[in-house]
Amino acid sequence: MLNASAELNPLGQLLVSGSQDADFVKLQIESNGDLSLRDEAGDPSPIANHPDGPGSEETPLDRADVSEIRFAMDDGDDILELEIPRGIDVSVAPSEGNDEADLDFSEFDPNQVAPGSSIEIQSELIRIGSSTGNVSFADAAVRFDGQVQFGNPSFASQIDVTRASLDWNGTFVAAGDVAFVGAGSVDLSGATVSSVNPGVQLSVNLGSDPGSRFLFGGANDSAGSNIDRLSVDSAGEVL
C-alpha cells in the first residue's frame, strides 16, 4: 500500500515523502521516457502540482519538467524500486526503519555521453539489478551508503565507471566475480567487501588516465565468505 505522497515543486524537484507506515514506491521510466510513480499494485500514484494541471495528477511526468528526484521515506520498513533516469539527480535520504532500495541503471550507456548527474542512495539494503550481469554508472557521481548487493554466482559481472565516480560506504556483497572497468574513479575506502559465496574474485581495469583512481578499504567474511582474490590490472592511482 502506498501511503507516501509526491509533489513537483517550482524548481522541478520531484519530492517523494514517506509515512510512518511501511511504504512501497516504484519510480518507472515509461516507454516514451516519461517518469511515473506507482504503488505495489502497479497503479499510478498522484503527483501534486502536475504541470498539466488539475486532473492530471496520475499522468506520467515529462522528464524535461524534472530536474531532481528526492525520496524521504520517514518511519516504517520501506521498499523502493527505482529505475534511475539518466541525467537527473536522484537521492534517497536516510530514514528510520529497515529499508530496501532496488536500483535499475538500464538507461546508462558508457558509449553515449550524457549530462552528468548525482545519484546518492542511503538505505539499509541496496540491490543493483541487471539482467545481463553488467551495470554502467556512466557520467554520474554515485554514492551508496548501506549494504550493497551485486553480482551473480553463475557468471562474472562488470561495473562500468566510464566518466563516473563511485563512492561506496558500508558493505559491498559480491555474489560472484565482479570487474570494475572504464576510465573513472572507484572509492571503496569506506566499504568492506565480502561475498555470499566462496572463490569470488574482484578485478580492476580502469586504464591509465590520471583521473582513474581505485581506493580499497578491506575485505572480510561478514556475508559468509571472504573474496578469494583482488587484482588491480590498471588504474591511474591506487590507494
Side-chain angles (χ1 to χ4, degrees):
M1 179 177 182
L2 177 66
N3 298 307
S5 60
E7 66 171 322
L8 186 69
N9 70 18
L11 299 177
Q13 297 169 322
L14 178 57
L15 308 178
V16 183
S17 302
S19 68
Q20 294 185 349
D21 299 318
D23 297 315
F24 177 98
V25 182
K26 180 179 179 66
L27 172 64
Q28 181 167 306
I29 302 173
E30 304 295 332
S31 59
N32 64 353
D34 289 352
L35 305 175
S36 65
L37 296 174
R38 297 184 178 274
D39 62 19
E40 195 167 9
D43 296 325
S45 303
I47 299 172
N49 304 326
H50 197 290
D52 293 344
S56 302
E57 290 82 3
E58 295 185 356
T59 303
L61 290 167
D62 186 325
R63 67 193 301 157
D65 293 324
V66 182
S67 63
E68 182 179 2
I69 305 172
R70 296 182 180 180
F71 294 87
M73 299 310 296
D74 208 344
D75 296 340
D77 297 338
D78 305 310
I79 298 176
L80 299 177
E81 292 186 359
L82 309 181
E83 297 179 1
I84 305 296
R86 197 173 187 192
I88 296 177
D89 294 347
V90 177
S91 64
V92 176
S95 64
E96 300 297 329
N98 189 22
D99 299 335
E100 300 179 14
D102 295 296
L103 310 180
D104 183 337
F105 288 85
S106 296
E107 271 205 342
F108 288 65
D109 184 351
N111 298 313
Q112 297 181 359
V113 179
S117 60
S118 171
I119 311 297
E120 185 168 349
I121 310 296
Q122 301 182 64
S123 182
E124 281 70 27
L125 177 60
I126 302 168
R127 298 188 188 93
I128 303 173
S130 173
S131 59
T132 64
N134 301 326
V135 66
S136 172
F137 299 136
D139 302 299
V142 180
R143 179 184 175 93
F144 296 133
D145 282 277
Q147 183 187 104
V148 182
Q149 298 179 355
F150 176 72
N152 191 298
S154 301
F155 51 80
S157 303
Q158 286 189 349
I159 296 177
D160 193 312
V161 293
T162 298
R163 303 179 302 274
S165 64
L166 174 59
D167 185 0
W168 217 311
N169 294 278
T171 305
F172 170 28
V173 180
D177 293 351
V178 175
F180 292 98
V181 301
S185 173
V186 177
D187 186 351
L188 300 180
S189 61
T192 301
V193 181
S194 189
S195 178
V196 293
N197 299 302
V200 167
Q201 299 186 24
L202 199 66
S203 61
V204 179
N205 190 357
L206 305 180
S208 58
D209 188 276
S212 298
R213 305 170 68 238
F214 178 70
L215 292 79
F216 188 69
N220 63 27
D221 61 358
S222 59
S225 296
N226 206 330
I227 59 171
D228 185 65
R229 182 176 179 230
L230 168 65
S231 62
V232 180
D233 299 317
S234 64
E237 182 179 11
V238 179
L239 297 172

